[in-house]
Each structure stands twice: as structure tokens, then as C-alpha cells.
Amino acid sequence: MTFTVDHTRLKKGIYKDDITYDLRTVVPYVEPLMSNVCMHSIEHILAVKLNEKINKIYFGPMGCQTGFYLLSDNPEEEVYKALYEACVEALEEKTVPFKSRAECGNYFSLDFSDEVKEKLEILRDLAKEALENPGCFVYPII
Ligand SMILES: [Zn+2]
């Protein structure tokens, strides 16, 4: 939970708190919220890809539609590297895994849309920035 964070001053970034990473892809109250198709598709794509690279405990979208949570107990640098590589691969492949009635509760809302591409590019660039400048993202506290 991030209720002591000042969301009016929160920028795009990767904010780490213990094993929880807040991957903020939208500036709250400034930019349009992510669509369900976008969040759901990225959930499928990165849940699978991150699982192949690190001990991912959880990955999923925020209910407020402004980002994702990633939980991992791997060293910080490995998490950023895995996220960067996962986004690069996903942008090359342009597909959403487990897109079938048997594998998903609502496969109609899965699509490699322009919005998915844009948010994956943002996540890729944020991961690169976090790798190159450790400690560059700091939560604004209320
Ligand atoms: Zn699904």
C-alpha cells in the first residue's frame, strides 16, 4: 500500500519499497488512465516473461489504472535488468500469451495494441534509467 505517498507529486518511475516495486506508467491526475485491455495484456506478457528471469512473487496492475506492482526478492539490479529485457523481448514479439478461453477469464480483453506498445516502451526506459542511476526514483511523501 502506498497511501503515505503524495500522488499529486508522483511522476512516472520505479519506486522500490522492500520487495515491492511500484512501476508507475501514468502520472496520476495528469495523464489518461490505462485501459483494461492495456493493463490486462501487459499483465499476461510480463507475468510470463519475468517468471523466466527472476523469482517473481507477484506482478499485476494497480486498481487505480496508473501502474503495476511487481514483487520480487531478487537483488534490485537483477529485477531492473529482467524488466528491461522482458520489455525489449515483448516489443519484438508483439504477442500476448495465454489468449484463449481455457487460459484466461476474459481473453476478449487481450490485444497487443498501440497503448500496450507505448506502456512497454515506458517500462523499458524506466528500467534502463533505474539500472544506470540507482536511487534515481524516490517517492514524494505527504
Ligand atoms: Zn487474463
Side-chain angles (χ1 to χ4, degrees):
M1 296 299 173
T2 55
F3 298 127
T4 59
V5 173
D6 185 350
H7 288 78
T8 67
R9 292 189 292 135
L10 192 58
K11 305 296 181 201
K12 288 191 190 73
I14 300 178
Y15 303 94
K16 183 182 183 297
D17 182 13
D18 194 16
I19 63 163
T20 302
Y21 295 80
D22 169 332
L23 312 178
R24 198 65 65 149
T25 54
V26 169
V27 181
Y29 306 107
V30 175
E31 297 178 332
L33 298 173
M34 289 188 285
S35 70
N36 183 262
V37 169
C38 178
M39 295 192 301
H40 187 194
S41 300
I42 291 179
E43 179 187 22
H44 274 231
I45 291 166
L46 291 186
V48 172
K49 289 218 167 284
L50 289 169
N51 229 21
E52 296 165 357
K53 300 174 189 304
I54 51 172
N55 177 37
K56 180 214 71 192
I57 298 164
Y58 174 78
F59 177 81
M62 294 178 183
C64 64
Q65 298 170 254
T66 64
F68 299 87
Y69 283 118
L70 166 60
L71 272 69
S72 174
D73 55 8
N74 279 63
E76 195 172 352
E77 199 180 312
E78 289 176 20
V79 173
Y80 299 140
K81 191 166 176 286
L83 179 61
Y84 175 78
E85 289 172 358
C87 291
V88 168
E89 289 170 19
L91 285 161
E92 284 170 5
E93 292 166 15
K94 299 182 176 61
T95 56
V96 181
F98 302 114
K99 190 178 174 181
S100 75
R101 187 180 290 268
E103 294 165 320
C104 174
N106 178 19
Y107 80 99
F108 300 112
S109 77
L110 294 170
D111 180 35
F112 199 95
S113 63
D114 288 345
E115 187 188 3
V116 168
K117 179 175 175 283
E118 179 206 326
K119 297 308 179 196
L120 284 172
E121 287 170 349
I122 288 169
L123 287 168
R124 176 198 64 195
D125 294 347
L126 290 173
K128 187 163 187 275
E129 204 172 332
L131 260 177
E132 290 172 355
N133 306 298
C136 66
F137 297 113
V138 180
Y139 263 149
I141 301 298
I142 292 173

